[in-house]
Amino acid sequence: MSDELLPIELLPILIVPDAKLRQKCRAVGPGDADMVRALAPRMLATMYKAPGIGLAAPQVGQLLRMAVVDIQKEDQREPLVLVNPEIVAESADTFTREEGCLSLPGQYADVTRPARVKLRYLDLEGTKREIEADGLLSTCIQHELDHLDGVLFVDHLSALKRNMLLRKLAKDMKLRQREAM
Ligand code: K2U
Ligand code: ZN
């Protein structure tokens, strides 16, 4: 095989109401190391292409506690691979930001979350890491960790707003399918 650079294959992103998006994911174990190392670059490539600033493993059908995040601009990428991430502290003060989700395309709503979080996770080498995040990174981390528990940003809205948004998504997806025919 010549040593030309092979493109990293992109992964299909699951869309609500796919049941896998509502599962609680299992922890990554030592036996998953090879698979996680192969999955991470594909998740990052898929996230950049979307484009997005975060992507959780269940969104590409892998029910593992793993996510990728990169809030930086294209010319100064700083990818974070979060394995078995957990929030170990959060601020009492909150922050409200408009959120979207690659699994609910075209739907946006304001979500209020703790402004700052302290996150513990393993990196791809299996090294224990701990970071403090505020701003968009804090929102993104909380949004991705929700995915690992089958929680979507719409679950933080009132039932009325959630149902409105889910009905609109279903309508939009039906329209897309009709247009694709
Ligand atoms: O998990 C995902 O579906 C990717 C999310 C991550 C995210 C949502 C809300 C707020 C922060 C992060 C997004 O679809 S990535 C798209 C995006 C890009 C810039 C700012 C907000 C959302
Ligand atoms: Zn999402």
Side-chain angles (χ1 to χ4, degrees):
M1 164 81 78
S2 70
D3 60 358
E4 101 249 18
L5 290 174
L6 295 172
I8 296 180
E9 71 191 55
L10 300 178
L11 301 164
I13 296 178
L14 301 182
I15 306 296
V16 163
D18 192 302
K20 285 192 169 179
L21 292 168
R22 289 310 201 168
Q23 304 287 323
K24 190 163 173 45
C25 298
R26 70 168 173 83
V28 171
D32 302 308
D34 292 348
M35 189 264 280
V36 163
R37 276 198 209 103
L39 183 62
R42 285 172 174 71
M43 283 178 63
L44 281 165
T46 302
M47 178 189 77
Y48 290 130
K49 181 89 171 49
I53 54 173
L55 189 65
Q59 292 182 276
V60 292
Q62 295 294 332
L63 299 184
L64 287 171
R65 301 194 77 76
M66 175 195 167
V68 293
V69 165
D70 189 343
I71 64 165
Q72 300 305 328
K73 298 270 172 295
E74 184 152 350
D75 54 356
Q76 60 205 85
R77 282 183 172 163
E78 214 178 290
L80 274 177
V81 177
L82 308 177
V83 176
N84 294 340
E86 50 181 329
I87 290 172
V88 293
E90 59 186 36
S91 62
D93 53 311
T94 62
F95 188 80
T96 300
R97 176 189 305 278
E98 184 181 63
E99 296 195 15
C101 181
L102 297 175
S103 296
L104 292 98
Q107 312 307 318
Y108 300 91
D110 280 354
V111 178
T112 300
R113 298 180 188 271
R116 290 178 308 288
V117 291
K118 185 184 282 189
L119 177 77
R120 268 198 206 129
Y121 65 96
L122 296 179
D123 64 17
L124 262 191
E125 286 69 45
T127 308
K128 281 193 180 130
R129 301 271 179 201
E130 181 174 298
I131 56 170
E132 296 207 5
D134 62 2
L136 182 57
L137 182 58
S138 169
T139 300
C140 186
I141 285 171
Q142 293 178 71
H143 178 109
E144 299 315 327
L145 268 62
D146 267 356
H147 274 298
L148 306 185
D149 292 326
V151 173
L152 300 172
F153 80 87
V154 292
D155 300 331
H156 297 282
L157 309 179
S158 67
L160 181 73
K161 279 181 84 172
R162 175 168 53 256
N163 293 333
M164 271 168 56
L165 203 141
L166 291 174
R167 261 199 307 276
K168 188 171 170 302
L169 176 65
K171 208 167 113 246
D172 291 356
M173 297 315 284
K174 229 178 258 136
L175 212 58
R176 283 191 195 193
Q177 270 145 7
R178 216 172 291 139
E179 279 160 5
M181 279 155 72

